[in-house]
Amino acid sequence: MPDSNFAERSEEQVSGAKVIAQALKTQDVEYVFGIVGIPVTEIAIAAQQLGIKYIGMRNEQAACYAASAIGYLTGRPGVCLVVSGPGLIHALGGMANANVNCWPLLVIGGSPERNQETMGAFQEFPQVEACRLYTKFSARPSSIEAVPFVIEKAVRSSIYGRPGACYVDIPADFVNLQVNVSSIKHVERCMSPPISMAETSAVCTAASVIKNAKQPLLIIGKGAAYAHAEESIQKLVEQYKLPFLPTPMGKGVVPDNHPYCVGAARSRALQFADVIVLFGARLNWILHFGLPPRYQPDVKFIQVDICAEELGNNVKPAVTLLGDINAVTKQLLEEFDKTPWQYPPESKWWKTLREKMKSNEAASKELASRESLPMNYYTVFYHVQEQLPRDCFVVSEGANTMDIGRTVLQNYLPRHRLDAGTFGTMGVGLGFAIAAAMVAKDRSPGQRVICVEGDSAFGFSGMEVETICRYNLPIILLVVNNNGIYQGFDTDTWKEMLKFQDAASVVPPMCLLPNSHYEQVMTAFGGKGYFVKTPEELQKSLRQSLADTAKPSLINIMIEPQATRKTQVNTVAKQKARNASASPSPSKKYLPNRTPSIVHRGLSKPFLSLAV
């Protein structure tokens, strides 16, 4: 006799939205960021019903940045949920950033109903094809029944090999479509990637090259942080007395204040090392491609990387070690243990590095100690560093703000620094901060997120302050405000420029409105805001912000508009503007005749002549 209960179960129906949500839950997705609308709202609701956290953002780019940061921080992809057409297009920046940064990310985008394809449907766009340029995997399930299979493959693709972004397209008619439960293809959780190890012979060769080095250097990249290689790399550094240099997001794998960290002598270390071991760091623009004159022509590189295609990129390495960075580092330790060895800490190389570190640190401290107002970058960051909690996340973006900040603001824990990254993406800051704050709230209650923004960088995603306040996240925003992009002008100079009728033809492209009160964006949504001009005001506002765990804060820090990473002098062009405005030429508009030195990514270059 047939089982009536079985018949009832086989005829039980479930919506497409619930199938999608259950597939995400099965793959251990914890966080979904996005902006809901037709046709994805029901997916977000179904996800919440299963215990997945949904964080509603104000812009799809920021949502995508947040989801990608979750992938880096947790090892499982965060999800960005977007509507069709423009919603997905806004998310492409975040997808590209995740792919270049090698962070796991899953984007789920709604699309028009299948029976409306090519008819000019609402927000119709070739989404699957477009996303292939920005992802490792881009697909549309053939049916609701196939959704679990496609989502598992997307998650697996995002975390296996070199991590990256993946896209799954969901037609609008899938979302509310009812299907039999028994027809759904059950797919189990995608397991974490298998641990791969380097060839034994290559490990032996690498160990020999390191032992014979006269001027060795370890470079620790964010790949090492992602691989959770901190314990083994720190053991390698300490046991064998090797100098190391972290890349921006490799900071904290070994604490920045470690005696063997040579970050303060970065240029000297790169230029004169004879053997360099790359732990999850790529020889791209951040490391000057591994080429002279930044490096010795005959320097020997040892590359440790999970991605075979990266080995030998831009230079021919002496040794390549393909595998999981943590596992390969342990292999090196085992090889070194066979024969007692240690790099001599009294060597000429160590002496050279320490002398350069001492002189550079002294120069930075001299800049920080200047009492003139407005403040410069170094003064701001030294006062901030004094109060930073040891376990806080530091998020940073901007040009000088980010570049100078990472030389002063220290990290002591791995995966606790997030910045513009390999793609140099502006606008990531608040999305990254929100992701870090969600992880902090769930896994380390009481941990704070310090988001350090240039005023230009803040403008990319400033409305996410409302998101921060809506979820009451433990974030302190520091806006280092120099009234411009790279550099700006003070109020008096600005007023002189505005005397001309056609401001769009006169105002320099890098100028922003002087003394903008960005802190009022925070207070508008119920957070705490501070406008500071002096070191004392900065110290007090930061102390109050750290003490007040009930509300997020924004501290708007005014600095010298012409400040750069070089020796900073309080100079503006107001006198020239006054002189010229007295009798301007009728045939030529005038701007202050000054060519500021623009410092970006460590390269100083003239931006433009402001006389037109």
Side-chain angles (χ1 to χ4, degrees), residues 185-205:
K185 296 179 181 178
H186 175 71
V187 180
E188 294 183 352
R189 175 188 183 274
C190 166
M191 301 304 294
S192 297
I195 301 299
S196 57
M197 300 173 70
E199 294 181 2
T200 303
S201 59
V203 174
C204 293
T205 303

Side-chain angles (χ1 to χ4, degrees), residues 59-66 68 80 82 86-101 105 107 130-131 134-135 165 420 423-428 432:
N59 180 279
E60 289 93 353
Q61 273 191 322
C64 208
Y65 296 142
S68 67
C80 178
V82 297
L88 175 70
I89 292 170
H90 292 168
L92 292 178
M95 295 163 74
N97 187 68
N99 231 30
V100 174
N101 265 351
L105 167 68
V107 176
C131 289
Y134 306 94
T135 60
F423 211 28
T425 308
M426 292 294 101
V428 297
F432 283 2

Side-chain angles (χ1 to χ4, degrees), residues 465-478:
V465 167
E466 188 273 334
T467 308
I468 292 170
C469 291
R470 186 172 2 119
Y471 294 102
N472 197 29
L473 297 175
I475 297 172
I476 299 173
L477 292 168
L478 307 180

Side-chain angles (χ1 to χ4, degrees), residues 351-429:
K351 182 181 179 182
T352 298
L353 292 174
R354 289 189 176 117
E355 287 177 352
K356 188 61 177 175
M357 289 166 63
K358 186 176 180 180
S359 65
N360 284 348
E361 287 168 353
S364 294
K365 288 179 180 177
E366 192 276 327
L367 285 169
S369 65
R370 292 186 178 177
E371 298 180 355
S372 60
L373 295 176
M375 293 182 284
N376 63 46
Y377 286 103
Y378 291 88
T379 302
V380 169
F381 291 135
Y382 271 99
H383 285 296
V384 171
Q385 173 60 35
E386 286 180 349
Q387 295 192 50
L388 281 189
R390 185 179 177 85
D391 65 347
C392 72
F393 286 92
V394 176
V395 179
S396 184
E397 67 168 326
N400 293 327
T401 298
M402 183 177 67
D403 291 345
I404 299 173
R406 70 167 168 252
T407 68
V408 182
L409 303 179
Q410 296 193 327
N411 288 90
Y412 308 103
L413 298 173
R415 298 169 297 281
H416 277 61
R417 179 183 167 85
L418 299 164
D419 68 19
T422 310
F423 211 28
T425 308
M426 292 294 101
V428 297

Side-chain angles (χ1 to χ4, degrees), residues 207 210-213 216 236 239-242 336-337 339-344:
I210 295 169
K211 284 182 179 180
N212 290 318
L236 181 69
Q239 198 161 310
Y240 301 104
K241 314 296 183 187
L242 294 167
F336 283 142
D337 286 345
T339 307
W341 171 81
Q342 186 182 83
Y343 185 72

Side-chain angles (χ1 to χ4, degrees), residues 50-103:
L50 291 176
I52 297 173
K53 292 181 171 63
Y54 175 79
I55 300 92
M57 305 286 282
R58 302 304 301 266
N59 180 279
E60 289 93 353
Q61 273 191 322
C64 208
Y65 296 142
S68 67
I70 288 291
Y72 173 64
L73 295 172
T74 70
R76 303 290 291 193
V79 169
C80 178
L81 181 66
V82 297
V83 299
S84 52
L88 175 70
I89 292 170
H90 292 168
L92 292 178
M95 295 163 74
N97 187 68
N99 231 30
V100 174
N101 265 351
C102 309
W103 289 357

